[in-house]
Amino acid sequence: PTQDKGGHCLVVQSLAIHKNIVATGSQDKTVKLWDIDNDDFVLLITSPLQNDWITSLALDGNKMVTGSGGTKKLWDIHN
């Protein structure tokens, strides 16, 4: 994971919400997390394992699952 406070550079393909956190997945092959209570960017997630658009997301507390071109990945978003 890296930090980048800008928006996605390509189209957002997926979105998930859990409490105050919104996750957006994009054609730029990244996931960005946003805190909607504070209107603030939280985290940028990139992975060499996901070589295609992020087409699906599921978010539940500390865990997130992303789907991309037949590949799925489980993330611990607080570590």
Side-chain angles (χ1 to χ4, degrees):
T2 59
Q3 296 290 332
D4 176 7
K5 294 188 180 200
H8 289 283
C9 61
L10 293 173
V11 174
V12 170
Q13 290 288 121
S14 53
L15 177 120
I17 300 172
H18 181 75
K19 296 185 181 178
N20 65 316
I21 300 296
V22 173
T24 54
S26 173
Q27 290 179 359
D28 64 10
K29 304 175 187 174
T30 66
V31 174
K32 293 192 176 197
L33 300 180
W34 310 88
D35 181 334
I36 57 176
D37 284 347
N38 298 317
D39 194 29
D40 196 21
F41 172 81
V42 177
L43 184 65
L44 168 68
I45 297 173
T46 60
S47 171
L49 298 176
Q50 297 196 273
N51 296 320
D52 206 347
W53 304 348
I54 306 298
T55 56
S56 58
L57 290 170
L59 185 60
D60 183 16
N62 296 331
K63 303 289 184 192
M64 178 177 63
V65 176
T66 57
S68 170
T71 301
K72 59 185 177 283
K73 175 127 174 79
L74 177 65
W75 302 88
D76 181 346
I77 61 173
H78 290 288
N79 290 324

Coordinates of all heavy atoms in Angstrom, one line a residue:
P1 N 0.8 -1.2 0.0 CA 0.0 0.0 0.0 C 0.8 1.3 0.0 O 1.9 1.3 0.6 CB -0.8 -0.1 1.3 CG -0.8 -1.5 1.6 CD 0.5 -2.1 1.1
T2 N 0.4 2.2 -0.7 CA 1.1 3.5 -0.8 C 0.1 4.6 -0.6 O -1.1 4.4 -0.5 CB 1.8 3.7 -2.1 OG1 0.8 3.6 -3.2 CG2 2.8 2.7 -2.4
Q3 N 0.6 5.9 -0.4 CA -0.3 7.0 -0.2 C -0.3 7.9 -1.4 O 0.7 8.2 -2.0 CB 0.2 7.9 1.0 CG 0.2 7.1 2.3 CD -1.2 6.9 2.8 OE1 -2.1 7.7 2.5 NE2 -1.4 5.9 3.6
D4 N -1.5 8.3 -1.9 CA -1.7 9.2 -3.0 C -3.1 9.8 -2.8 O -4.1 9.1 -2.8 CB -1.7 8.4 -4.3 CG -2.0 9.3 -5.5 OD1 -2.1 10.5 -5.3 OD2 -2.1 8.8 -6.6
K5 N -3.2 11.1 -2.5 CA -4.4 11.7 -2.2 C -5.3 12.2 -3.3 O -6.4 12.7 -3.2 CB -4.2 12.9 -1.2 CG -3.6 12.5 0.1 CD -3.5 13.6 1.0 CE -2.9 13.1 2.3 NZ -3.1 13.9 3.5
G6 N -4.8 11.9 -4.6 CA -5.6 12.3 -5.7 C -6.7 11.3 -6.0 O -6.7 10.2 -5.4
G7 N -7.6 11.6 -7.0 CA -8.6 10.6 -7.4 C -8.0 9.6 -8.3 O -6.8 9.6 -8.6
H8 N -8.8 8.7 -8.8 CA -8.3 7.7 -9.7 C -8.1 8.3 -11.0 O -8.7 9.3 -11.4 CB -9.4 6.6 -9.9 CG -9.6 5.7 -8.7 ND1 -8.7 4.7 -8.5 CD2 -10.6 5.7 -7.8 CE1 -9.2 4.0 -7.4 NE2 -10.3 4.6 -6.9
C9 N -7.1 7.8 -11.8 CA -6.8 8.4 -13.1 C -7.6 7.7 -14.2 O -7.5 8.2 -15.4 CB -5.3 8.3 -13.4 SG -4.6 6.6 -13.4
L10 N -8.3 6.7 -13.9 CA -9.2 6.1 -14.9 C -10.6 5.8 -14.3 O -10.8 6.1 -13.1 CB -8.7 4.8 -15.5 CG -7.4 4.9 -16.3 CD1 -6.8 3.5 -16.6 CD2 -7.7 5.7 -17.6
V11 N -11.5 5.3 -15.0 CA -12.9 5.1 -14.5 C -13.0 4.2 -13.3 O -12.3 3.2 -13.2 CB -13.8 4.5 -15.7 CG1 -15.2 4.1 -15.2 CG2 -13.8 5.4 -16.9
V12 N -13.9 4.6 -12.4 CA -14.2 3.7 -11.2 C -15.1 2.6 -11.6 O -16.2 2.9 -12.2 CB -14.8 4.6 -10.1 CG1 -15.3 3.7 -8.9 CG2 -13.8 5.5 -9.5
Q13 N -14.7 1.4 -11.4 CA -15.5 0.2 -11.8 C -16.3 -0.4 -10.6 O -17.3 -1.1 -10.9 CB -14.6 -0.9 -12.3 CG -13.9 -0.6 -13.6 CD -14.9 -0.6 -14.8 OE1 -15.1 0.3 -15.5 NE2 -15.6 -1.8 -15.0
S14 N -15.9 -0.2 -9.4 CA -16.5 -0.8 -8.2 C -16.5 0.1 -7.0 O -15.6 0.9 -6.9 CB -15.9 -2.2 -8.0 OG -14.5 -2.0 -7.8
L15 N -17.4 -0.2 -6.1 CA -17.5 0.6 -4.9 C -18.1 -0.2 -3.8 O -19.0 -1.0 -4.0 CB -18.4 1.8 -5.2 CG -18.7 2.7 -4.0 CD1 -18.2 4.2 -4.4 CD2 -20.2 2.8 -3.6
A16 N -17.5 -0.1 -2.6 CA -18.0 -0.7 -1.4 C -18.0 0.2 -0.2 O -17.1 1.1 -0.2 CB -17.2 -2.0 -1.1
I17 N -19.0 0.1 0.6 CA -19.1 1.0 1.8 C -19.2 0.1 3.1 O -20.0 -0.8 3.1 CB -20.3 1.9 1.7 CG1 -20.2 2.8 0.4 CG2 -20.4 2.8 2.9 CD1 -21.4 3.6 0.2
H18 N -18.5 0.5 4.1 CA -18.6 -0.1 5.4 C -18.5 1.0 6.4 O -17.4 1.6 6.6 CB -17.6 -1.2 5.7 CG -17.8 -1.9 7.0 ND1 -18.8 -2.8 7.3 CD2 -17.1 -1.7 8.1 CE1 -18.7 -3.2 8.5 NE2 -17.7 -2.6 9.1
K19 N -19.6 1.2 7.2 CA -19.6 2.3 8.2 C -19.2 3.6 7.5 O -19.8 4.1 6.6 CB -18.8 1.9 9.4 CG -19.4 0.7 10.1 CD -18.7 0.5 11.4 CE -19.4 -0.7 12.1 NZ -18.7 -1.1 13.3
N20 N -18.1 4.2 7.9 CA -17.6 5.5 7.4 C -16.6 5.3 6.3 O -16.0 6.3 5.8 CB -17.1 6.4 8.5 CG -15.8 5.8 9.1 OD1 -15.7 4.6 9.4 ND2 -14.8 6.6 9.4
I21 N -16.2 4.1 5.9 CA -15.2 3.9 4.9 C -15.8 3.5 3.5 O -16.7 2.6 3.5 CB -14.2 2.8 5.3 CG1 -13.5 3.2 6.6 CG2 -13.2 2.5 4.2 CD1 -12.6 4.4 6.5
V22 N -15.4 4.2 2.5 CA -15.8 3.9 1.1 C -14.5 3.4 0.4 O -13.5 4.1 0.5 CB -16.3 5.2 0.4 CG1 -16.6 4.9 -1.1 CG2 -17.6 5.6 1.1
A23 N -14.6 2.3 -0.3 CA -13.6 1.8 -1.1 C -14.0 1.9 -2.6 O -15.1 1.6 -2.9 CB -13.3 0.3 -0.8
T24 N -13.1 2.4 -3.4 CA -13.4 2.5 -4.9 C -12.3 1.8 -5.6 O -11.1 1.9 -5.3 CB -13.4 4.0 -5.3 OG1 -12.1 4.6 -4.9 CG2 -14.5 4.8 -4.7
G25 N -12.7 1.0 -6.6 CA -11.8 0.2 -7.4 C -11.9 0.7 -8.9 O -13.0 1.0 -9.3
S26 N -10.8 0.8 -9.5 CA -10.7 1.5 -10.8 C -10.1 0.7 -11.9 O -9.4 -0.3 -11.7 CB -10.0 2.8 -10.6 OG -9.7 3.5 -11.8
Q27 N -10.3 1.2 -13.1 CA -9.6 0.7 -14.3 C -8.1 1.0 -14.2 O -7.3 0.4 -15.0 CB -10.1 1.3 -15.6 CG -11.5 0.8 -15.9 CD -12.1 1.5 -17.2 OE1 -11.4 2.3 -17.8 NE2 -13.3 1.1 -17.6
D28 N -7.7 1.9 -13.3 CA -6.2 2.1 -13.1 C -5.6 1.1 -12.3 O -4.4 1.2 -11.9 CB -6.0 3.5 -12.6 CG -6.6 3.7 -11.2 OD1 -7.0 2.8 -10.5 OD2 -6.6 4.9 -10.7
K29 N -6.3 0.0 -11.9 CA -5.8 -1.2 -11.2 C -5.5 -0.9 -9.7 O -4.6 -1.5 -9.1 CB -4.6 -1.8 -11.9 CG -4.9 -2.2 -13.4 CD -3.6 -2.6 -14.1 CE -3.9 -2.8 -15.5 NZ -2.7 -3.1 -16.3
T30 N -6.1 0.1 -9.2 CA -5.9 0.5 -7.8 C -7.2 0.5 -7.0 O -8.3 0.6 -7.6 CB -5.3 1.9 -7.6 OG1 -6.2 2.9 -8.1 CG2 -3.9 2.0 -8.4
V31 N -7.1 0.4 -5.7 CA -8.2 0.6 -4.8 C -7.9 1.8 -3.9 O -6.7 1.9 -3.4 CB -8.5 -0.6 -3.9 CG1 -9.6 -0.3 -2.9 CG2 -8.9 -1.8 -4.8
K32 N -8.8 2.7 -3.7 CA -8.6 3.8 -2.8 C -9.7 3.8 -1.7 O -10.8 3.5 -2.0 CB -8.7 5.2 -3.5 CG -7.5 5.3 -4.5 CD -7.3 6.7 -5.0 CE -6.1 6.8 -5.9 NZ -5.6 8.1 -6.1
L33 N -9.2 4.1 -0.5 CA -10.1 4.1 0.7 C -10.3 5.5 1.1 O -9.3 6.3 1.2 CB -9.6 3.3 1.8 CG -9.3 1.8 1.5 CD1 -8.8 1.1 2.7 CD2 -10.6 1.1 1.1
W34 N -11.6 5.9 1.4 CA -11.9 7.2 1.8 C -12.7 7.2 3.1 O -13.6 6.3 3.3 CB -12.8 7.9 0.7 CG -12.2 7.7 -0.7 CD1 -12.4 6.7 -1.5 CD2 -11.3 8.6 -1.3 NE1 -11.7 6.9 -2.7 CE2 -11.0 8.1 -2.6 CE3 -10.8 9.9 -0.9 CZ2 -10.2 8.7 -3.5 CZ3 -10.0 10.5 -1.9 CH2 -9.7 10.0 -3.1
D35 N -12.5 8.1 4.0 CA -13.2 8.3 5.3 C -14.3 9.3 5.0 O -13.9 10.5 4.9 CB -12.3 8.7 6.4 CG -13.0 8.8 7.7 OD1 -14.2 9.1 7.7 OD2 -12.4 8.7 8.8
I36 N -15.5 8.9 4.9 CA -16.6 9.9 4.5 C -17.0 10.8 5.7 O -17.6 11.9 5.5 CB -17.8 9.3 3.9 CG1 -18.4 8.2 4.7 CG2 -17.4 8.7 2.5 CD1 -19.7 7.5 4.2
D37 N -16.7 10.4 6.9 CA -17.0 11.2 8.1 C -16.1 12.4 8.1 O -16.5 13.5 8.5 CB -16.9 10.4 9.4 CG -18.0 9.5 9.7 OD1 -19.0 9.6 9.0 OD2 -17.9 8.6 10.6
N38 N -14.9 12.2 7.7 CA -13.9 13.3 7.8 C -13.6 13.9 6.4 O -12.8 14.8 6.3 CB -12.6 12.9 8.4 CG -12.8 12.4 9.8 OD1 -13.5 13.1 10.6 ND2 -12.2 11.3 10.2
D39 N -14.3 13.4 5.4 CA -14.1 13.8 4.0 C -12.6 13.8 3.6 O -12.0 14.8 3.2 CB -14.6 15.2 3.8 CG -14.7 15.6 2.3 OD1 -14.9 14.7 1.5 OD2 -14.7 16.8 2.0
D40 N -11.9 12.6 3.9 CA -10.5 12.5 3.8 C -10.1 11.2 3.1 O -10.7 10.2 3.3 CB -9.8 12.6 5.2 CG -8.4 12.9 5.1 OD1 -7.9 13.4 4.1 OD2 -7.7 12.6 6.1
F41 N -9.0 11.3 2.3 CA -8.4 10.1 1.7 C -7.7 9.3 2.8 O -7.1 9.9 3.7 CB -7.4 10.6 0.7 CG -6.6 9.5 0.1 CD1 -7.0 8.7 -0.9 CD2 -5.3 9.3 0.6 CE1 -6.2 7.7 -1.4 CE2 -4.5 8.3 0.1 CZ -5.0 7.5 -0.9
V42 N -7.8 8.0 2.8 CA -7.2 7.1 3.8 C -6.0 6.4 3.2 O -4.9 6.4 3.8 CB -8.2 6.1 4.4 CG1 -7.6 5.2 5.4 CG2 -9.4 6.9 5.0
L43 N -6.2 5.6 2.1 CA -5.2 4.7 1.7 C -5.3 4.4 0.2 O -6.4 4.3 -0.3 CB -5.3 3.4 2.5 CG -4.3 2.3 2.3 CD1 -2.9 2.7 2.8 CD2 -4.7 1.1 3.0
L44 N -4.2 4.2 -0.5 CA -4.1 3.7 -1.9 C -3.5 2.3 -1.8 O -2.5 2.0 -1.2 CB -3.2 4.5 -2.8 CG -2.9 4.0 -4.1 CD1 -4.1 3.9 -5.0 CD2 -1.8 4.8 -4.8
I45 N -4.2 1.3 -2.5 CA -3.7 -0.1 -2.5 C -3.5 -0.5 -4.0 O -4.3 -0.3 -4.8 CB -4.8 -1.0 -1.9 CG1 -5.0 -0.7 -0.4 CG2 -4.4 -2.5 -2.1 CD1 -6.1 -1.5 0.3
T46 N -2.3 -1.0 -4.2 CA -1.9 -1.5 -5.5 C -1.3 -2.9 -5.3 O -0.8 -3.2 -4.2 CB -0.9 -0.7 -6.2 OG1 0.3 -0.6 -5.4 CG2 -1.4 0.8 -6.5
S47 N -1.5 -3.8 -6.3 CA -0.9 -5.1 -6.1 C -0.4 -5.6 -7.5 O -1.2 -5.5 -8.5 CB -2.0 -6.1 -5.6 OG -1.6 -7.4 -5.7
P48 N 0.8 -6.2 -7.5 CA 1.2 -6.8 -8.8 C 0.4 -8.0 -9.2 O 0.5 -8.5 -10.3 CB 2.7 -7.1 -8.5 CG 2.8 -7.2 -7.0 CD 1.7 -6.3 -6.5
L49 N -0.3 -8.6 -8.2 CA -1.1 -9.8 -8.5 C -2.4 -9.5 -9.3 O -3.0 -10.3 -9.9 CB -1.5 -10.5 -7.2 CG -0.4 -11.0 -6.3 CD1 -0.9 -11.5 -5.0 CD2 0.4 -12.0 -7.0
Q50 N -2.8 -8.2 -9.3 CA -4.0 -7.8 -10.0 C -3.6 -7.0 -11.2 O -3.3 -5.8 -11.1 CB -4.9 -7.1 -9.1 CG -5.4 -8.0 -7.9 CD -6.5 -7.5 -7.2 OE1 -6.4 -6.8 -6.2 NE2 -7.7 -8.0 -7.5
N51 N -3.6 -7.7 -12.4 CA -3.1 -7.1 -13.6 C -4.3 -6.6 -14.5 O -4.1 -6.4 -15.7 CB -2.3 -8.1 -14.4 CG -1.1 -8.5 -13.6 OD1 -0.4 -7.7 -13.0 ND2 -0.8 -9.8 -13.6
D52 N -5.4 -6.4 -13.9 CA -6.6 -6.0 -14.7 C -7.4 -5.0 -13.8 O -7.0 -4.7 -12.7 CB -7.5 -7.2 -15.0 CG -8.3 -7.0 -16.3 OD1 -8.4 -5.8 -16.7 OD2 -8.8 -8.0 -16.8
W53 N -8.4 -4.4 -14.4 CA -9.3 -3.5 -13.7 C -9.8 -4.1 -12.4 O -10.1 -5.3 -12.3 CB -10.5 -3.1 -14.5 CG -10.2 -2.5 -15.8 CD1 -9.0 -2.1 -16.3 CD2 -11.1 -2.3 -16.9 NE1 -9.1 -1.6 -17.6 CE2 -10.4 -1.7 -18.0 CE3 -12.5 -2.6 -17.0 CZ2 -11.1 -1.4 -19.1 CZ3 -13.1 -2.2 -18.2 CH2 -12.4 -1.6 -19.2
I54 N -10.0 -3.3 -11.4 CA -10.6 -3.8 -10.1 C -12.1 -3.8 -10.4 O -12.7 -2.7 -10.4 CB -10.3 -2.9 -8.9 CG1 -8.7 -2.8 -8.8 CG2 -10.9 -3.5 -7.6 CD1 -8.0 -4.1 -8.5
T55 N -12.7 -4.9 -10.6 CA -14.1 -5.0 -11.0 C -15.1 -5.3 -9.8 O -16.3 -5.2 -10.0 CB -14.3 -6.1 -12.1 OG1 -13.8 -7.3 -11.6 CG2 -13.6 -5.6 -13.3
S56 N -14.5 -5.8 -8.7 CA -15.4 -6.1 -7.6 C -14.7 -5.8 -6.3 O -13.5 -6.0 -6.2 CB -15.9 -7.5 -7.6 OG -14.9 -8.4 -7.6
L57 N -15.5 -5.4 -5.3 CA -15.0 -5.1 -3.9 C -16.0 -5.6 -2.9 O -17.2 -5.5 -3.1 CB -14.8 -3.6 -3.7 CG -13.8 -2.8 -4.4 CD1 -14.0 -1.3 -4.2 CD2 -12.4 -3.2 -3.9
A58 N -15.5 -6.0 -1.8 CA -16.3 -6.3 -0.6 C -15.5 -5.8 0.6 O -14.3 -6.0 0.7 CB -16.6 -7.8 -0.4
L59 N -16.2 -5.1 1.5 CA -15.5 -4.4 2.6 C -16.3 -4.8 3.9 O -17.5 -4.6 3.9 CB -15.5 -2.9 2.3 CG -14.8 -2.0 3.3 CD1 -13.3 -2.3 3.3 CD2 -15.0 -0.5 2.8
D60 N -15.5 -5.2 4.9 CA -16.2 -5.6 6.2 C -15.2 -5.3 7.3 O -14.4 -6.2 7.6 CB -16.6 -7.0 6.1 CG -17.3 -7.4 7.4 OD1 -17.8 -6.5 8.2 OD2 -17.5 -8.6 7.6
G61 N -15.3 -4.2 7.9 CA -14.4 -3.9 9.1 C -12.9 -3.8 8.6 O -12.5 -2.9 7.9
N62 N -12.1 -4.7 9.1 CA -10.7 -4.7 8.8 C -10.3 -5.4 7.6 O -9.1 -5.3 7.2 CB -9.9 -5.3 10.0 CG -10.0 -4.5 11.3 OD1 -10.2 -3.3 11.3 ND2 -10.0 -5.2 12.4
K63 N -11.2 -6.1 6.9 CA -10.9 -6.9 5.7 C -11.5 -6.3 4.5 O -12.6 -5.8 4.6 CB -11.3 -8.3 6.0 CG -10.7 -9.0 7.2 CD -9.2 -9.2 7.0 CE -8.7 -10.0 8.2 NZ -7.3 -10.0 8.3
M64 N -10.9 -6.5 3.4 CA -11.5 -6.2 2.1 C -11.0 -7.3 1.1 O -9.9 -7.8 1.1 CB -10.9 -4.8 1.6 CG -11.4 -4.4 0.2 SD -10.9 -2.8 -0.3 CE -9.1 -3.0 -0.4
V65 N -12.0 -7.6 0.2 CA -11.7 -8.6 -0.9 C -11.8 -7.8 -2.2 O -12.8 -7.0 -2.4 CB -12.7 -9.7 -0.9 CG1 -12.4 -10.6 -2.1 CG2 -12.6 -10.5 0.4
T66 N -10.8 -7.9 -3.1 CA -10.9 -7.3 -4.4 C -10.9 -8.4 -5.5 O -10.3 -9.5 -5.3 CB -9.7 -6.4 -4.6 OG1 -8.5 -7.1 -4.5 CG2 -9.7 -5.2 -3.7
G67 N -11.6 -8.1 -6.6 CA -11.6 -9.0 -7.7 C -11.2 -8.3 -8.9 O -11.5 -7.1 -9.2
S68 N -10.4 -9.0 -9.7 CA -9.8 -8.4 -10.9 C -9.4 -9.5 -11.9 O -8.5 -10.3 -11.7 CB -8.5 -7.6 -10.5 OG -7.8 -7.2 -11.6
G69 N -10.1 -9.5 -13.1 CA -9.8 -10.4 -14.1 C -9.6 -11.9 -13.7 O -8.6 -12.5 -14.1
G70 N -10.4 -12.4 -12.9 CA -10.3 -13.8 -12.4 C -9.4 -14.0 -11.2 O -9.3 -15.1 -10.6
T71 N -8.8 -12.9 -10.7 CA -8.0 -13.0 -9.5 C -8.7 -12.3 -8.4 O -9.3 -11.3 -8.5 CB -6.6 -12.2 -9.8 OG1 -6.0 -12.8 -10.9 CG2 -5.7 -12.3 -8.6
K72 N -8.6 -13.0 -7.2 CA -9.2 -12.3 -6.0 C -8.1 -12.2 -4.9 O -7.2 -13.0 -4.9 CB -10.4 -13.1 -5.5 CG -10.1 -14.5 -5.1 CD -11.4 -15.2 -4.7 CE -11.2 -16.6 -4.4 NZ -11.1 -17.5 -5.5
K73 N -8.2 -11.2 -4.1 CA -7.2 -11.0 -3.1 C -7.9 -10.5 -1.8 O -8.8 -9.6 -1.9 CB -6.2 -9.9 -3.6 CG -5.1 -9.5 -2.5 CD -3.8 -9.7 -3.0 CE -2.7 -9.1 -2.1 NZ -2.4 -10.0 -1.0
L74 N -7.4 -11.0 -0.7 CA -7.9 -10.6 0.7 C -6.9 -9.6 1.3 O -5.7 -9.9 1.3 CB -8.1 -11.8 1.6 CG -8.6 -11.5 3.0 CD1 -10.0 -10.9 3.0 CD2 -8.5 -12.8 3.8
W75 N -7.4 -8.5 1.7 CA -6.5 -7.4 2.3 C -6.9 -7.2 3.7 O -8.1 -7.2 4.1 CB -6.7 -6.1 1.5 CG -6.4 -6.2 0.1 CD1 -7.3 -6.5 -0.9 CD2 -5.2 -5.9 -0.6 NE1 -6.7 -6.4 -2.1 CE2 -5.4 -6.1 -2.0 CE3 -3.9 -5.5 -0.1 CZ2 -4.4 -5.9 -2.9 CZ3 -3.0 -5.3 -1.1 CH2 -3.2 -5.5 -2.4
D76 N -5.9 -7.0 4.6 CA -6.1 -6.4 5.9 C -5.9 -4.9 5.8 O -4.7 -4.5 5.7 CB -5.1 -7.1 6.9 CG -5.3 -6.6 8.3 OD1 -6.0 -5.5 8.5 OD2 -4.8 -7.2 9.2
I77 N -6.9 -4.1 5.8 CA -6.8 -2.7 5.5 C -6.3 -1.9 6.6 O -6.0 -0.7 6.4 CB -8.1 -2.1 4.9 CG1 -9.2 -2.2 5.9 CG2 -8.5 -2.8 3.6 CD1 -10.5 -1.5 5.5
H78 N -6.1 -2.4 7.7 CA -5.6 -1.6 8.9 C -4.1 -1.9 9.2 O -3.5 -1.4 10.1 CB -6.4 -1.8 10.1 CG -7.8 -1.2 10.0 ND1 -8.0 0.2 10.0 CD2 -9.0 -1.7 9.7 CE1 -9.2 0.5 9.8 NE2 -9.9 -0.7 9.6
N79 N -3.5 -2.8 8.4 CA -2.0 -3.1 8.6 C -1.3 -2.9 7.3 O -1.7 -3.1 6.2 CB -1.8 -4.5 9.1 CG -2.3 -4.7 10.5 OD1 -2.2 -3.8 11.3 ND2 -2.9 -5.8 10.8

